[in-house]
Amino acid sequence: MSTLQPDTLIKNPHGCHVVSSVEVPTDAAQVWAVVGNFGGFDRFIPALSHIELIGEGVSSLRKKCFKDGNVVVEQLNSRDEQARSMTWTTIYNTLGVANLWAAMNVEALGEGKSRATWTIIAEPASGGEEALPGFKEFVQGFADDAMGNVLKLFV
């Protein structure tokens, strides 16, 4: 009988890399209050019906429930209030994503102006290399739509 060793299903993705960024005519702290709210992404992703949070701070989980019935469960990996940044990893989903790591950050660009950036690295659940172009287009479109909605909240 072999001795069990620590293992995990959570792995850093090596698939597509997308970045979506918007310049917002608002103070960075106000923008961070929206995009830095781990449980508040339904404010700028209208496809979400609601979000359930389990725990607080780093290692907390969020269950994003979509209006179409899809579900995504993610874990908050890091959060830095001063740097206005956080990262998370998807641990379960019904969207056809094998692994996903994401980061959100907000930087001040001067008085009353800031930039919010969402970075995503993800792999499709099936299709291998052949699926990457369409998958990347889907992920980029999703992120761009969400960040466009962030901008609309402040203009």
Side-chain angles (χ1 to χ4, degrees):
M1 177 180 218
S2 65
T3 304
L4 296 177
Q5 297 294 316
D7 60 358
T8 182
L9 295 175
I10 299 172
K11 299 190 178 10
N12 286 324
H14 299 287
C16 68
H17 183 160
V18 302
V19 177
S20 185
S21 186
V22 290
E23 288 191 13
V24 183
T26 306
D27 175 75
Q30 291 178 28
V31 176
W32 178 245
V34 173
V35 300
N37 179 356
F38 191 60
F41 276 41
D42 51 347
R43 280 199 60 197
F44 57 94
I45 300 176
L48 291 170
S49 64
H50 66 283
I51 296 174
E52 300 169 17
L53 279 180
I54 301 169
E56 293 181 25
V58 172
S59 80
S60 64
L61 301 177
R62 73 175 169 195
K63 179 181 177 184
K64 297 191 303 193
C65 299
F66 287 80
K67 293 175 183 173
D68 67 3
N70 280 298
V71 174
V72 176
V73 178
E74 297 167 319
Q75 181 177 38
L76 184 63
N77 298 327
S78 67
R79 182 175 185 86
D80 185 330
E81 290 298 324
Q82 287 187 317
R84 294 185 191 99
S85 67
M86 66 179 175
T87 66
W88 63 92
T89 303
T90 296
I91 57 176
Y92 174 81
N93 74 88
T94 59
L95 294 174
V97 178
N99 294 304
L100 182 143
W101 173 92
M104 182 72 77
N105 72 293
V106 176
E107 60 184 306
L109 298 177
E111 187 148 343
K113 192 174 182 183
S114 57
R115 178 183 297 117
T117 303
W118 191 358
T119 303
I120 300 170
I121 302 173
E123 298 172 352
S126 62
E129 292 290 322
E130 301 82 42
L132 277 177
F135 180 74
K136 182 174 182 173
E137 185 177 316
F138 163 74
V139 174
Q140 186 72 61
F142 184 85
D144 288 347
D145 286 347
M147 297 308 280
N149 291 331
V150 169
L151 180 59
K152 289 176 189 173
L153 290 173
F154 294 100
V155 292

